[in-house]
Amino acid sequence: MAKTRINLPDLAAAPASWGFDVHGDYANRREGFHEIGNWTTSFFTGMGVLSYLRTGERNFISDVEALDESYLRKLENHAVETMHDLGFLYTLYSVALFKVTGEARHRESGLRAAEALANRFVPNGEYLRAWGRVNEHDTDYSGLAIIDSLMNLPLLYWASNETGDKCLRDLAIRHTDTTLEYFLRDDDSVYHAFRFDPATGNPLGGDNYCGRDVSSHWARGTAWGMYGFSLGYQHTGDERYLDAANALTAKYVSLLDEEKVPVWDFKLEDHERLIRDSSSSAVAICAIQNMISQGVGTSEFSDCKDQMLEALCSDAYLDRSAQCRGLLKQGQVGAGLGKAMNAYTSWGDYFFMQALASELGLKVDWW
C-alpha cells in the first residue's frame, strides 16, 4: 500500500501504460495511455481499490478517480485504439469503482467498455478477436483468439447483469465454449493462441504469440485459463468450465518444482535458460482462491496455493524497497525463444496484492 500511495498520484499526473520494467520503475515504460497496446494501467487502479478496502482511506479512491477523464476519452475519442483487453482495463477501473462507490458515471463507462468489447466478437468461429483495431480485418491478427481473453469476459457478464442484455452474456459463453473446444490439448496443456479462417470461421490450428513455438506450454497462459474457466463456472454454473479449471490446475501444480514459482514455459529444454515467472504464480494463486471460495478447490490445490504465496513473499521475489515502484521481481516478459526475460510486471503486482487481500478476507467481487 505504501508503494500504491506513491504510484497512483504519479500515474494520474501523466497517464501511461506502466506495464513492466526491468528495474521496477514503471514510469520508464514509454507507452501512452491511449495507445492500443495499453492493457495495464488498471492494475494500478485495482491496487488502489484494494488499498482502500484494506485501510478505508478515501484518498486511495480519489487518486484512482483522478484518471476518470483518461478512461472516458479512451472510449469517446480512441475507441478504435482498443483491443480484447478492455475487460482488464475497465473491470479494474469502472466496475471496481462502481461496486465500491456506487457512482453512476463508473457504471456508465463500464457499460460502454462492455459494448466496445462485444464489438470484437466474430460470429464465424465464435470468438473475441485478439489485438488489432476493430475496424481492421486484413492484418496478422485476423482470425486470432487468445486464452487471455477469458479474463476479459467478466466485464460482459457484469454488463449483462446490470442491463438485462442477455446477448452480452451469450457472447461471453460462446467465446468460452470456443476456448474450451480448441485451446486445451489432450495432455491438459494449453495453446496460447488459436487461429480461425476469418471468412468461414473454420479452425486452422494453434498459433504462437507468447510461447517459444506453437507447441509451447506457456505458464502464464495456463494461469489465465485456470482463472478464466473458474470464473466462467462462477458466472454460469457450467460444470464443463469447472472440469477445465480443475484439469489445468492439476497440470500446473504437477509441473512445479521445489521453487514453487514456474519456469515461464513448462516445455523448456534442459539446455535453455530457466527464466521463472512470478506473475504466473500470482495469477494461479488467485485462480485457486476463486475455486476454493466456490467450494470446489481440492486440498492439494490449497496446499500448493499456500506454498506459492510463501515463495512470492520471500526476498527472492518480493521487493520491499521503498525506492522501487514494483513489488514482484522475476516476472516474465517477451516472447519466443531467446526473447524472454525477467522484469517487474504491473499485472504480477496486482494479482499478488489481490491474493494477499483474499487471504485477509477482503471482498474482491469485480471479476
Side-chain angles (χ1 to χ4, degrees):
M1 288 181 290
K3 295 190 181 194
T4 301
R5 285 191 178 94
I6 297 170
N7 287 338
L8 271 177
D10 289 351
L11 178 59
S17 68
W18 281 32
F20 62 88
D21 186 71
V22 171
H23 303 293
D25 187 355
Y26 295 119
N28 286 334
R29 175 86 173 147
R30 301 301 182 187
E31 182 179 48
F33 180 88
H34 296 300
E35 291 185 32
I36 195 169
N38 176 24
W39 64 286
T40 51
T41 304
S42 292
F43 294 121
F44 292 94
T45 67
M47 285 186 273
V49 176
L50 289 172
S51 297
Y52 167 73
L53 292 179
R54 175 62 174 163
T55 66
E57 295 176 21
R58 188 71 188 183
N59 63 288
F60 282 116
I61 297 299
S62 300
D63 288 342
V64 171
E65 290 182 327
L67 286 157
D68 271 358
E69 185 179 352
S70 293
Y71 275 86
L72 183 61
R73 285 207 314 270
K74 193 167 185 71
L75 294 173
E76 289 185 340
N77 303 330
H78 302 271
V80 296
E81 302 294 333
T82 59
M83 58 171 181
H84 61 276
D85 280 329
L86 276 164
F88 275 125
L89 281 175
Y90 286 86
T91 296
L92 289 175
Y93 189 76
S94 301
V95 178
L97 282 174
F98 176 62
K99 284 181 173 288
V100 169
T101 70
E103 292 285 344
R105 70 182 188 278
H106 298 313
R107 178 181 183 274
E108 179 60 26
S109 64
L111 294 178
R112 293 181 66 174
E115 181 181 0
L117 179 60
N119 287 336
R120 300 191 69 85
F121 188 79
V122 181
N124 289 337
E126 303 201 320
Y127 60 92
L128 291 171
R129 198 193 78 181
W131 291 302
R133 293 173 176 82
V134 71
N135 60 349
E136 291 180 344
H137 301 286
D138 187 18
T139 72
D140 289 344
Y141 305 128
S142 297
L144 189 69
I146 58 174
I147 200 163
D148 317 33
S149 288
L150 288 174
M151 292 299 300
N152 291 283
L153 301 181
L155 179 65
L156 299 181
Y157 287 118
W158 168 81
S160 178
N161 290 336
E162 284 294 313
T163 64
D165 184 352
K166 295 181 180 178
C167 179
L168 295 173
R169 176 184 174 85
D170 179 61
L171 294 185
I173 292 172
R174 289 160 71 187
H175 177 89
T176 307
D177 286 346
T178 297
T179 306
L180 183 65
E181 182 173 1
Y182 294 110
F183 281 70
L184 278 62
R185 302 186 182 107
D186 290 340
D187 65 353
D188 295 326
S189 65
V190 297
Y191 291 112
H192 170 241
F194 200 92
R195 184 82 66 171
F196 299 87
D197 185 302
T200 66
N202 292 334
L204 299 178
D207 210 301
N208 177 51
Y209 263 83
C210 285
R212 295 157 58 250
D213 55 41
V214 72
S215 67
S216 176
H217 185 187
W218 186 41
R220 192 162 70 250
T222 297
W224 292 139
M226 291 161 55
Y227 203 175
F229 279 119
S230 73
L231 288 168
Y233 173 71
Q234 173 184 314
H235 286 287
T236 68
D238 192 322
E239 295 281 345
R240 297 175 304 147
Y241 302 160
L242 175 59
D243 290 344
N246 273 317
L248 295 185
T249 304
K251 183 73 170 183
Y252 188 99
V253 168
S254 75
L255 293 173
L256 295 176
D257 58 20
E258 65 280 358
E259 188 80 4
K260 297 304 177 185
V261 173
V263 294
W264 75 281
D265 191 313
F266 287 123
K267 291 189 177 181
L268 288 177
E269 301 291 342
D270 290 342
H271 66 278
E272 294 176 316
R273 185 182 173 198
L274 297 182
I275 293 172
R276 296 191 182 268
D277 186 7
S278 60
S279 71
S280 174
S281 286
V283 176
I285 291 166
C286 292
I288 294 173
Q289 288 173 328
N290 188 56
M291 296 171 72
I292 292 171
S293 72
Q294 298 179 71
V296 295
T298 68
S299 59
E300 180 186 10
F301 294 172
S302 181
D303 290 345
C304 186
K305 178 261 297 181
D306 292 342
Q307 292 165 359
M308 286 193 289
L309 191 55
E310 182 178 0
L312 292 186
C313 289
S314 71
D315 290 340
Y317 292 98
L318 180 58
D319 191 326
R320 295 175 171 83
S321 170
Q323 284 69 51
C324 180
R325 292 188 188 276
L327 288 173
L328 285 187
K329 298 175 277 189
Q330 298 195 57
Q332 176 260 331
V333 297
L337 188 59
K339 297 179 182 178
M341 64 179 185
N342 277 139
Y344 295 75
T345 68
S346 57
W347 55 90
D349 290 355
Y350 168 77
F351 284 105
F352 173 65
M353 194 165 175
Q354 179 182 305
L356 293 175
S358 295
E359 291 295 304
L360 291 170
L362 298 184
K363 186 179 181 182
V364 179
D365 62 353
W366 36 82
W367 297 108

